[in-house]
Amino acid sequence: MRISESREQFLKKIASKILWCVLYLMLFRLAVQNVSGVLRKFLLTKSEPSGHLLNFTESAAVHRYRAEEHTVVTDDGYVLTVFRIPKGKNCRGGVRQPPVLIMHGLLLSSDSWLDSGPHAGLGYLISDECYDLWSGNVRGSHYSRKHLTLNPDTNPQYWQFFLHEVGAYDLPAIIDYILHSTKSQKLIYIGYSQSGMSLLIMCSERPKFCDKLRLAILLHPASRMTNTKSKAFRLITKIYQSIEPYLSSTLDFEAFPKEGKLQTTTASLCQDFYVADIVCRSILNLIDSPHPGSIDVSTIRSLSGHFPSGTSAKTLAWFNQILNADSFQNFDYGSTRNLEVYGSRLPPPYNINATNVPVVIIHGENDNLVSSKDIRWLKDQLPNVLELFFVKDPLWNHFDVPYSRHTKKLLFPKISEYLRKYSRKSIF
């Protein structure tokens, strides 16, 4: 039986207050540790414009890259936005084949591949090496918050998904759309963080789509997350797992939306140069481990307009289950409901061994969200790992993948190496 409305609202308010108190206390401690730099930053220019209000195609156009916007509809009616940079402005000669699909991490979007600018953003770097680059957005994120029949603002059924549906519906729809549009037989997949998870789910649940990939490059991929160190991530997901069964309002089923109060507040505050460098950087360090000098202030100002980009409360609840499980498994509804849904009291694990596509895993030792122990565990489960590569920087962390100014030097060479091995140059 559901608890009363007043009881439900009381629990939600208490959970919210606990979360914000803990986060503010941790943030205050980090800010105090960096207070000596405030005066120095105050003397620097603070009024330079950032790209935080630009969408993907607008950001690309600012740097003179041509980008396209495409619409993909999944088998279950979700309407997704996929962006394409068919050829980088610094590409000389024909475009390489097959096309490349890059997918974002949790609470991010395609914007994350452009936020660090043309000298560091993977969206620019990959397209400049003459690849036909496609960048997808999963259901519930800012660019893919649509459905053929369900209104995300009024129908709670829209939000009844987690990464299972992303792997079972979103990725197959995007892959088929790209292959049809480019008349290609296969594509190369690059998945960051949760998009490593969704690939594993796709290959487990719909293995024929795994056969449509020539290569998968997984950047800090999540799977089993038993050894995750981030206290903030554990706290946030624990709260969502606690309250998710009692949610009733449609708006409550959406977590951390773009243009929500949290995102709009941080986007505004983080435009100030020294606030971005001290406070907003501390928020990133709260979630992940610090990496001094890795992410430019200009990148922080830009990403604040695009992050967080939204997901479902069920997704965050499922992440907390994964944090406390010894395997990579489906959603746990409790033994009674599990019997109805799965025919067993326990949620079934995903068949990681079904991911038979050649896989390259790239990771960093300083990642507080996806630990090296769990990465090595994943490597041992996969049947066709070409290489497990650790970035040659002991401080390289999770957020460095989309945002570090050192990406071109430390991360991209390994990506480029395998892209070239598994592609060919077009005569056109």
Side-chain angles (χ1 to χ4, degrees):
M1 180 180 296
R2 295 179 65 86
I3 61 177
S4 67
E5 184 70 13
S6 59
R7 173 69 170 167
E8 173 189 333
Q9 295 299 324
F10 174 77
L11 282 176
K12 287 160 58 178
K13 288 180 180 178
I14 291 297
S16 178
K17 289 181 182 297
I18 292 173
L19 170 62
W20 284 110
C21 285
V22 173
L23 290 180
Y24 276 130
L25 285 172
M26 296 173 72
L27 177 60
F28 178 76
R29 186 178 70 176
L30 287 169
V32 168
Q33 291 173 349
N34 292 281
V35 73
S36 61
V38 171
L39 289 177
R40 177 174 57 85
K41 296 303 178 185
F42 183 79
L43 297 175
L44 298 176
T45 301
K46 303 178 295 178
S47 58
E48 296 176 1
S50 73
H52 75 293
L53 296 178
L54 303 179
N55 63 27
F56 187 95
T57 55
E58 292 168 341
S59 294
V62 166
H63 299 290
R64 295 187 290 115
Y65 286 74
R66 181 172 68 88
E68 303 170 355
E69 181 175 328
H70 296 255
T71 300
V72 176
V73 180
T74 68
D75 289 344
D76 58 345
Y78 284 77
V79 181
L80 314 177
T81 297
V82 179
F83 295 104
R84 180 190 191 187
I85 302 179
K87 185 177 182 179
K89 74 173 185 180
N90 295 314
C91 168
R92 302 292 181 263
V95 175
R96 301 185 70 88
Q97 298 295 331
V100 176
L101 168 63
I102 189 168
M103 294 296 297
H104 61 80
L106 177 65
L107 295 173
L108 301 181
S109 69
S110 290
D111 294 324
S112 61
W113 306 121
L114 304 184
D115 279 329
S116 56
H119 300 295
L122 283 176
Y124 297 115
L125 297 177
I126 294 171
S127 63
D128 273 345
E129 290 223 341
C130 297
Y131 294 97
D132 180 7
L133 182 69
W134 297 72
S135 180
N137 295 276
V138 305
R139 63 184 62 196
S141 61
H142 174 64
Y143 287 120
S144 297
R145 196 178 176 276
K146 298 177 183 177
H147 193 276
L148 293 179
T149 60
L150 302 176
N151 186 334
D153 292 324
T154 59
N155 195 321
Q157 186 59 36
Y158 174 93
W159 298 102
Q160 296 307 307
F161 67 82
F162 64 109
L163 282 196
H164 180 91
E165 286 76 16
V166 173
Y169 296 104
D170 293 7
L171 287 188
I174 293 172
I175 289 170
D176 268 354
Y177 181 90
I178 295 172
L179 295 181
H180 180 265
S181 298
T182 60
K183 296 180 172 56
S184 301
Q185 297 299 313
K186 295 193 175 188
L187 58 78
I188 295 175
Y189 181 87
I190 301 177
Y192 166 54
S193 190
Q194 77 161 19
S195 290
M197 275 180 159
S198 53
L199 173 71
L200 301 176
I201 294 172
M202 182 188 78
C203 293
S204 172
E205 305 304 299
R206 304 186 71 178
K208 73 174 185 178
F209 285 94
C210 206
D211 296 333
K212 298 183 180 185
L213 307 181
R214 182 173 293 180
L215 170 71
I217 301 176
L218 304 184
L219 310 175
H220 296 235
S223 57
R224 188 189 76 169
M225 299 183 70
T226 310
N227 297 289
T228 292
K229 298 177 182 178
S230 174
K231 293 180 181 179
F233 186 67
R234 285 186 174 274
L235 174 64
I236 292 168
T237 57
K238 184 175 182 178
I239 289 174
Y240 270 95
Q241 185 180 8
S242 299
I243 67 174
E244 193 267 340
Y246 309 112
L247 299 178
S248 59
S249 169
T250 302
L251 295 179
D252 291 334
F253 283 103
E254 182 177 15
F256 298 105
K258 187 178 184 296
E259 298 180 359
K261 291 181 179 179
L262 175 64
Q263 190 274 321
T264 54
T265 300
T266 55
S268 178
L269 292 174
C270 293
Q271 293 317 295
D272 183 278
F273 188 96
Y274 69 88
V275 170
D277 196 27
I278 303 302
V279 178
C280 304
R281 187 184 301 279
S282 294
I283 293 175
L284 297 179
N285 293 343
L286 189 73
I287 303 169
D288 197 6
S289 57
H291 187 180
S294 181
I295 302 178
D296 285 337
V297 177
S298 60
T299 300
I300 294 175
R301 296 173 69 212
S302 181
L303 73 87
S304 69
H306 307 134
F307 169 79
S309 184
T311 188
S312 67
K314 186 176 181 179
T315 296
L316 294 180
W318 177 72
F319 265 101
N320 190 254
Q321 294 177 3
I322 295 298
L323 289 169
N324 295 284
D326 290 328
S327 64
F328 181 50
Q329 63 188 36
N330 217 304
F331 196 93
D332 189 350
Y333 295 98
S335 58
T336 302
R337 179 80 189 283
N338 285 343
L339 278 171
E340 298 174 4
V341 176
Y342 308 122
S344 61
R345 292 187 177 276
L346 297 175
Y350 290 108
N351 181 15
I352 296 178
N353 193 256
T355 307
N356 55 12
V357 60
V359 170
V360 177
I361 301 175
I362 302 178
H363 196 59
E365 293 282 9
N366 198 33
D367 189 330
N368 271 5
L369 288 165
V370 178
S371 77
S372 297
K373 288 183 180 180
D374 291 329
I375 286 291
R376 291 185 173 93
W377 176 87
L378 174 61
K379 174 184 176 293
D380 291 339
Q381 312 305 309
L382 292 168
N384 195 5
V385 176
L386 302 176
E387 182 179 0
L388 169 56
F389 174 79
F390 283 89
V391 174
K392 308 297 187 198
D393 182 340
L395 295 181
W396 188 265
N397 66 26
H398 203 78
F399 285 140
D400 282 332
V401 173
Y403 300 130
S404 175
R405 66 187 180 93
H406 303 305
T407 296
K408 187 173 184 179
K409 176 182 178 182
L410 297 177
L411 177 66
F412 186 61
K414 182 58 64 174
I415 295 174
S416 178
E417 174 189 336
Y418 279 96
L419 287 179
R420 287 191 169 272
K421 283 183 180 180
Y422 282 81
S423 67
R424 58 180 175 79
K425 197 163 188 177
S426 170
I427 61 174
F428 299 103

